[in-house]
Amino acid sequence: MNDKETFRVLSLDGGGAKGFYTLGVLKEIEGMIECPLCERFDLVFGTSTGAIIAALVCLGHSVDEILGLYRKHVVGVMALRLPRQKTEALEALARDVFKDLTFEQVKTRIGIVSTRWVSERPMIFKGDVGQAHGRRGTFVPGFGVKIGDAVQASCSAYPFFDRKTVRTNLGEAVELVDGGYCANNPTLYAIADATMSLRVPRDRLRVISVGVGEYPAPKAPVLSIGRVARLLLPVRLLQKTLEVNTQSMDQLRSVLFGDIPTIRINEAYTQPEMATDMFEHDLSKLDVLWQRGRQSFAPHERTLREYLV
């Protein structure tokens, strides 16, 4: 990099169907820069629903195209109840949307976060050898895994989805679950890639971290106490786990990289009518999240313009 170049990072949280909020924010950013997001960001990281969006952004899709895919696929996936049904629908989404695309075909640097089930460590799919933290001599983009399989792994919120097994270029079978278990907010991982692997000076970095918003928990359905416990409490436990992970990762980022200019967009809503969780499938409510995401852009517009235009 020369002494005038700015290195721009985009980080997208996990959160299931609440990715509609993320897309609302990105719609306004795209409108401001007047070009595809992949042409302005040098590195895009995503976890779970953020992985879907990040992959499509890095392949050159517009936000409107991604929103159309979300309305077509994500609502249907979240409406299903059984893990096998959800998993099969997610596999169909990956096949339909990503087909046989590989990490060699992305238009900017990418990071897709998943979690190794057995070793309990992150597995991050990347497209650029410059992002490798060692073992560069054997680096293969995405470990030889197709983008669709990597995205599905990042979205596999076990036990609500089945675990996803991928096979690397070396023939290794790796069992993976949702990236949210290790970094639901992947901003810290993205900054580590930029500063440690790509050797970008901290004063050249500009980071935009987009969440999915914070909302009240949905009301319990009118069922027996035992049925409520079986159906609702596991969802709330998963939701709370991901929210704690999100906040702790952001706190750690501020401690370790507080000097790096970063915008965090993740508004909190307390109105009862905003109650939702990651498995929301009411399209009218998800459209409200999309609208709230667009509104969340406004308080940050001036700084975003300084970072991106």
Side-chain angles (χ1 to χ4, degrees):
M1 300 180 66
N2 63 44
D3 60 1
K4 293 184 179 180
E5 285 183 304
T6 297
F7 189 96
R8 301 177 177 96
V9 175
L10 177 64
S11 172
L12 306 175
D13 286 13
K18 293 184 292 183
F20 275 78
Y21 173 94
T22 307
L23 290 171
V25 176
L26 296 181
K27 174 64 176 178
E28 295 301 322
I29 293 176
E30 183 185 63
M32 181 181 68
I33 63 177
E34 299 182 325
C35 70
L37 295 171
C38 66
E39 294 181 11
R40 193 56 49 92
F41 288 97
D42 303 284
L43 175 63
V44 183
F45 256 67
T47 296
S48 197
T49 195
I52 300 175
I53 299 170
L56 291 168
V57 163
C58 290
L59 289 167
H61 287 268
S62 70
V63 174
D64 283 344
E65 289 172 335
I66 302 171
L67 178 64
L69 293 170
Y70 261 61
R71 286 176 169 156
K72 177 182 178 181
H73 291 283
V74 173
V75 174
V77 173
M78 296 308 176
L80 298 171
R81 292 189 176 183
L82 299 179
R84 183 69 254 169
Q85 293 174 324
K86 277 184 162 62
T87 301
E88 290 173 353
L90 185 60
E91 288 174 350
L93 182 158
R95 287 195 304 270
D96 186 48
V97 173
F98 296 104
K99 300 179 172 57
D100 292 324
L101 293 171
T102 66
F103 283 86
E104 287 92 345
Q105 294 170 270
V106 295
K107 300 178 184 297
T108 191
R109 299 177 188 87
I110 190 172
I112 299 298
V113 181
S114 65
T115 305
R116 295 176 185 262
W117 175 252
V118 176
S119 64
E120 302 168 346
R121 294 174 178 270
M123 182 171 183
I124 306 177
F125 298 88
K126 305 175 183 181
D128 184 350
V129 66
Q131 296 170 250
H133 293 260
R135 296 193 295 181
R136 297 194 176 202
T138 57
F139 177 87
V140 172
F143 304 101
V145 174
K146 294 178 182 177
I147 291 177
D149 289 333
V151 167
Q152 185 186 343
S154 184
C155 294
S156 294
Y158 183 79
F160 298 96
F161 291 82
D162 295 340
R163 299 189 292 271
K164 172 68 176 177
T165 299
V166 301
R167 191 166 295 277
T168 70
N169 62 296
L170 297 177
E172 304 162 315
V174 186
E175 195 172 23
L176 301 170
V177 294
D178 198 294
Y181 289 117
C182 60
N184 197 57
N185 170 359
T187 309
L188 188 63
Y189 288 4
I191 294 176
D193 265 20
T195 58
M196 304 300 294
S197 297
L198 295 167
R199 305 293 184 183
V200 180
R202 292 191 181 205
D203 62 344
R204 301 288 182 262
L205 274 174
R206 298 295 182 271
V207 179
I208 298 171
S209 174
V210 184
V212 295
E214 300 175 19
Y215 311 92
K219 291 182 179 180
V222 181
L223 300 168
S224 66
I225 295 177
R227 184 100 183 270
V228 169
R230 290 196 302 273
L231 295 180
L232 191 60
L233 292 183
V235 175
R236 289 188 175 175
L237 178 59
L238 173 61
Q239 190 75 41
K240 180 61 69 174
T241 299
L242 298 181
E243 288 170 355
V244 170
N245 179 290
T246 297
Q247 300 298 340
S248 62
M249 291 294 283
D250 194 55
Q251 184 175 13
L252 186 57
R253 175 203 58 78
S254 66
V255 171
L256 296 177
F257 299 107
D259 59 311
I260 294 177
T262 300
I263 299 173
R264 174 71 174 163
I265 306 176
N266 190 50
E267 302 301 321
Y269 302 96
T270 59
Q271 304 94 322
E273 62 271 20
M274 291 299 296
T276 190
D277 60 31
M278 63 185 295
F279 295 114
E280 183 62 64
H281 52 272
D282 182 341
L283 187 55
S284 62
K285 183 175 288 187
L286 293 172
D287 278 338
V288 172
L289 267 62
W290 151 264
Q291 295 166 28
R292 291 297 176 96
R294 296 182 66 188
Q295 293 165 9
S296 296
F297 164 88
H300 306 279
E301 183 171 4
R302 177 177 296 180
T303 310
L304 285 166
R305 187 172 295 277
E306 293 174 358
Y307 284 17
L308 298 174
V309 178

